[in-house]
Structure formats: structure tokens, C-alpha cells
Amino acid sequence: MQQALIEKYGEARLPRYTSYPTAPAFAPVVGAGTYGDWLSNIKPGTEASLYLHIPFCRSMCWYCGCHTTITQKDAPILDYLDMLRQEIGLVSDRVENRIKMKHIHFGGGTPTIMQPEEFRDLIGLLRARFGLVAGAEIAVEIDPRTLTAEMAAALGEAGVTRASLGVQSFDPVVQKAINRIQSEAQTAEAVTRLRAAGVGGINFDLIYGLPHQTVQSCIDTAKAAVAMRPERFAVFGYAHIPSFKKHQRLIDERALPDAAARAAQAEAIAETLVAAGYVRIGLDHYALPSDDLAIAAKRGRLRRNFQGYTTDTCETLIGFGASSIGRTPDGYVQNEVPPGLYAQRIASGRLATVKGYRLTAEDRLRAEIIERLMCNFRADITTIAARHGFDAAPLLDGNARLAALADDGAVDISGGTVTVRQDHRFIIRAVAAAFDAYIDQSARTHSKAA
Ligand SMILES: C=Cc1c2[nH]c(c1C)Cc1[nH]c(c(CCC(=O)O)c1C)Cc1[nH]c(c(C)c1CCC(=O)O)Cc1[nH]c(c(C)c1C=C)C2
Ligand SMILES: C[C@H]1O[C@@H](n2cnc3c(N)ncnc32)[C@H](O)[C@@H]1O
Ligand code: SF4
């Protein structure tokens, strides 16, 4: 049965539901003008999250699905940081003193491509423009291959609480096939430097489904990784979309594992991490039981946002930089993606928003159902619908996708509650899709669900 379900649902192109509606539903009707209005609607005393995108790396990993560009020079990075500072000014002029920062996330690309003093200045500017809540989280994505001792120390001094390291795979055959050579020793040294600098929460990103990856290779990587004792893991299935990311054409498609092999690899990594004391969280995260994410999951308080699973409860997320996505209580916004176009906008004194989405009451209802499914593998549709002033019946009855999942034994529906069995967690994107009103317009653009 399990095998049949993997074959039927595992290969479907479905969103990862880091938002609802998902990014393909964003449209140019929401631009800089609307975003400006939405920023002025933010209420005084709002606790907000900030995301800052740094779209530069020193070399290209062929699997990469992130918005980044390769540069060996420092000038483009310095120019970009200038624009980022200007954008922080433009936004803070509109928000005035109405927000306090609860979470700051530096993503990329590779944020640690900045010089230590540039990072310190950026944090200083944010602190000056927006107040910081006591106990706020500051998280930074890190490439262990290029993290210097000076940068690690600067992160600690600036108050960084979490570091997310790209690890992906320790298998030399896989590393060659993805153009990312990174030794275990390099990774361990980055962890040591971060811990010495006082950065307490460390996350490793791993990927399965890469070219030449096998179950054994995944187990070996997971074992080497757990020996370094990061607090968390995020384990992603390789999303191969060469039409969207041209450099993925450098990946040998004949060496890619099929759906059944991908599922076996995901399960082997899960078992290795669980055996080493990590708790499974949601679709693709793992954490030590003492970690905040594991505690939130246990209490049913897990959340999902653009960074994946999180403890962040803020309704307002302000995105800075090329391609950044933000949200306010009114809806979603996304900045211009190519760094050059983003820079042109900011240099002319305008917000860089090029698309977005204004949330309706029904979207908010569906968003909550999908978030609960993605986080808890269960959603009480009747209760959630009632809270939003909707009737649950139209969501459950005549729902062909949901009926098919129930017929296949993948979900249980009783008393208006939809539950996904723990051994069917790989199917969760298909269950979420059953509550996505836009799925048939967006399904084609998304990656394999397994
Ligand atoms: C840190 C790296 C990032 C990953 N995803 C994003 C970042 C910044 C954000 C992102 N990536 C895509 C979109 C869609 C909207 C757009 O701007 O075009 C966003 C918001 C593109 C994308 N990335 C992946 C896929 C399959 C797609 C296109 C289709 C889709 O929206 O699903 C794969 C992928 N990228 C990242 C991960 C972890 C991942 C798959 C597991 C990192
Ligand atoms: C931010 C994290 O996203 C993951 N990542 C980047 N590109 C892809 C892709 N195409 N498929 C799956 N995961 C990806 C890496 O693990 C990286 O560390
Ligand atoms: S995986 Fe990280 S280091 Fe590699 S190209 Fe993508 S953003 Fe850059």
C-alpha cells in the first residue's frame, strides 16, 4: 500500500506550502503603492519578524534553487548593501516607531559573504531604526566552506542566536556531481567556531535525491552530521526544475534517484536522526527534544513560514532585499527578484515591491487549515471554519482530492477532523493541496512532493 501511495502521490508536482496562497498566486496588482499603505496600517506596538536576503555566493552549487548570483568581486556586494540600507530607511520611514523586532533572519545566497564590520553595521542600523524585543532571535544562514573565525566571532558579538549551515551531503561522489566540495572537518570547524562565539542554536541542512545518492550514502552523511550535535536538521528532497534554474542542467539526470529511492533515502535519514535522539517535526525538520522547535511541536504551537517550520508567531514579516517576501495582516508582498532591477527601484527612492497578494477571508481560513495540516498532520476543519465564520461542509463534501486520499487510506476524516497517519507523512503536501483553491492553476510550476 505504502509503495502504491508513494507512486501515486510522491511524484506529483505540488507546492511546499510555506505560505497560502503560494508564491505563484502573487500578482502585480499589489505593488509599491499598496505595500506602502499596508505598512502604514501596521498597529503601534506590533512585534514583527524581519528577513534580509543576501543574493551572492562565491561558487554555484548545481542543485541550488535559491535566488542567488555568483561573484568573486566585492564591489557588487558593497553596492547591494548600500541599497539594503536605503531600503531599510524607506520602510522604517513608513513604519515609523510602530514595530519591534522579534526575529531577524539573514538568508541567501550566503549572508556571511559580508565582511564582519559590514554585518555589524547592518545589525546596528536595524537596531537604530526598529527596536529589538528582549530575547529576540537573530538567525543567519552560513556556508561552512567560507566562514572565517573573524566572522563567527562577529556574529556572536552582534547577538546572533541561531546559525543554519548548508551541509547537504558528505559523500565525495555526490559532492563532485553537485559542484560542492565540503569536508566533514571544514563543517566541524565552523560548528566549533560558532559555539565558541556563543551562537547556541545550530541547524544543518541536508538534501536527499541528489545525483548518485544512495540510502547508504544518506545514512553515512546523517551519522557524520549527528556526531557534530547540531540542535536541528532540515532535510529537503532535491527539487529538480532545470527549466526554472538553468544551472541545474549541469546535473546528470540519469544519476538522479527515482521516487521509490528518494522515499527510501528520506526514511533512512529520518531513522538515523531519530536513533540519535532527534524528534521528527513536520514534514522535513528534526530537533533535539530540548530545542524550542521540538517544544513548540509537542505543544501544538509549531508554525510554518517562508523559512520552513518555526516558533515565530509574528503576523508581520518585513522582507528586505532582492526577491524577499514579506507579509502584513493585509497580505503578501514580494520584491523585484534580479538584484539589478531591485537596485534601480530602491535607488529611485521607491519600495521594490513588484507583486503580492491581498488576503480574503476565505484565504485566511484555508491558510489556517493548510498550516495546521503541515505542522500537526491533523486539522479540525469544523472548529477552524467556525472561528473564521465559515461552514465546514463545502470544504469537506464534494472535495474530490480529499475523497481520493480517503479512499486510498491516506487520511482519516471523522467528526470534521482530517488526520494523516504518521507513516504517511510524505503525503502531507497532497492533503494540504486538497484545501488549496488555486492548486489547479499553480500545480505545474512546483517540484516533486516526495
Ligand atoms: C534559501 C533559499 C531559498 C529556497 N527557496 C527560496 C529561497 C530564498 C524562496 C523561493 N524559491 C522559489 C520561490 C518561488 C517564487 C519565485 O520567486 O519564483 C521562492 C519564494 C523558487 C523555487 N525553489 C524551489 C522550487 C521548487 C521553486 C519553484 C517552484 C515553487 O515555488 O515550489 C526549490 C527549493 N528552494 C529552496 C528549497 C529548500 C527548495 C526545495 C526543497 C530554498
Ligand atoms: C537553504 C537550503 O535549501 C536547500 N536547497 C537549495 N536548493 C535546493 C533544491 N533545488 N532542492 C532542495 N533543496 C534545496 C539547501 O539545503 C540549502 O541549504
Ligand atoms: S546552496 Fe547556498 S552556497 Fe550553494 S549556490 Fe545555493 S545559496 Fe549559494
Side-chain angles (χ1 to χ4, degrees), residues 16 23 53 65-67 108 141 236-237 239 241 244 325 334 445-447:
R16 298 175 61 239
H53 191 71
C66 307
H67 292 300
E141 293 178 11
F236 303 114
I241 26 161
F244 181 73
I325 294 179
Q334 184 171 21
T445 62
H446 293 282
S447 59

Side-chain angles (χ1 to χ4, degrees), residues 292-314:
D292 289 346
L293 201 66
I295 294 168
K298 204 170 172 184
R299 296 186 180 155
R301 297 220 187 104
L302 198 61
R303 302 298 305 264
R304 189 153 173 85
N305 69 12
F306 292 101
Q307 274 83 53
Y309 290 101
T310 174
T311 56
D312 184 355
T313 54
C314 296

Side-chain angles (χ1 to χ4, degrees), residues 81 125 195 294 308 325 353 364 400 402 430:
L81 291 174
L125 175 64
R195 293 228 189 270
I325 294 179
T353 316
R364 293 172 207 275
L402 190 63

